[in-house]
Amino acid sequence: MTTLLALKDRLLRFEPTARVLDHWLARQELGALRPFDFDPVAVPSVLPFVYLLERLGDRLRYRVSGEEVNRLFGSNHTGLHLDEVVPPEVYPVVAPYFLRVFDPAVCIFKGRVVLPDRDYLEFERVLMPVRHNGRLHLLGCLALSGGSPLRRDGIVVEEIGPGFDFTVFDLATGAVEHDRVEAVPVLPRTGVWRQQLG
């Protein structure tokens, strides 16, 4: 059976995402994987790369948004909903994976992104369930090539090509699901994507 540690070592290239998943795993007791009470300042070295989302029906709202997350998108997301931040072309593809975290599950989401002021960059996100103020929340960590250091523990993970890769680890069953969405930039350096069909 695949473990979250094995998935980390196979999929995560960047120090912030690997470190926050290590923190999440270190808080687990006797192998029973479950959400725990989380204080955003508990992992100070990755605080700029993390965000905390609360679920409000079918929408997710940012409770906390780190400096690096805000810098990447050019605005502070705190108080905004995920569907107000993610481009409308991409939202229907990624939203189900964010919502899966509340099942609960851990999701590793990787791909390439085009931003108006940046090159075609590799990113990875780790999405994990935590408890905050007695309620289930999504703790996310975002790392981006060109701004996030690679892992320092000697494990080398290959870069990912265009498109999006999703890996979901179901905490109740230990089942692992993988999905890939081929996507290409429609207009270079605008952040606009279209799903590649067939």
Side-chain angles (χ1 to χ4, degrees):
M1 179 159 126
T2 302
T3 65
L4 271 173
L5 185 59
L7 287 175
K8 179 195 93 167
D9 287 343
R10 185 164 54 90
L11 298 174
L12 296 181
R13 294 189 66 214
F14 297 102
E15 186 69 16
T17 45
R19 187 173 290 174
V20 79
L21 185 55
D22 280 339
H23 173 75
W24 193 91
L25 288 167
R27 294 291 310 270
Q28 303 304 316
E29 298 175 5
L30 302 174
L33 300 178
R34 60 179 60 117
F36 57 86
D37 290 330
F38 178 76
D39 178 353
V41 299
V43 196
S45 63
V46 297
L47 190 58
F49 302 94
V50 301
Y51 47 94
L52 195 64
L53 297 171
E54 66 179 332
R55 186 170 185 172
L56 303 169
D58 289 335
R59 296 181 82 192
L60 299 174
R61 183 173 64 189
Y62 285 86
R63 294 289 308 240
V64 173
S65 184
E67 295 170 19
E68 286 298 311
V69 177
N70 296 337
R71 189 173 65 80
L72 168 63
F73 292 99
S75 65
N76 186 336
H77 293 160
T78 303
L80 295 177
H81 292 86
L82 185 66
D83 55 20
E84 297 172 312
V85 173
V86 175
E89 306 83 17
V90 177
Y91 182 78
V93 175
V94 302
Y97 294 97
F98 279 78
L99 292 170
R100 279 292 302 278
V101 171
F102 294 87
D103 285 344
V106 171
C107 181
I108 297 173
F109 167 25
K110 302 172 56 134
R112 292 275 179 172
V113 66
V114 178
L115 296 171
D117 60 343
R118 303 222 190 163
D119 292 328
Y120 191 37
L121 300 175
E122 178 186 6
F123 74 90
E124 65 187 23
R125 294 177 185 262
V126 177
L127 312 174
M128 301 150 284
V130 295
R131 295 209 172 275
H132 183 68
N133 295 332
R135 294 184 55 221
L136 194 61
H137 283 66
L138 180 154
L139 171 65
C141 184
L142 172 66
L144 186 72
S145 61
S148 303
L150 293 174
R151 288 176 64 167
R152 298 184 190 110
D153 57 9
I155 293 179
V156 177
V157 177
E158 290 182 20
E159 289 185 35
I160 191 168
F164 302 128
D165 279 349
F166 301 94
T167 302
V168 177
F169 185 93
D170 187 298
L171 295 180
T173 66
V176 178
E177 303 167 24
H178 298 282
D179 195 17
R180 174 146 181 86
V181 176
E182 298 296 335
V184 296
V186 175
L187 301 172
R189 301 176 78 67
T190 65
V192 177
W193 287 75
R194 70 174 165 83
Q195 190 170 341
Q196 197 171 34
L197 302 175

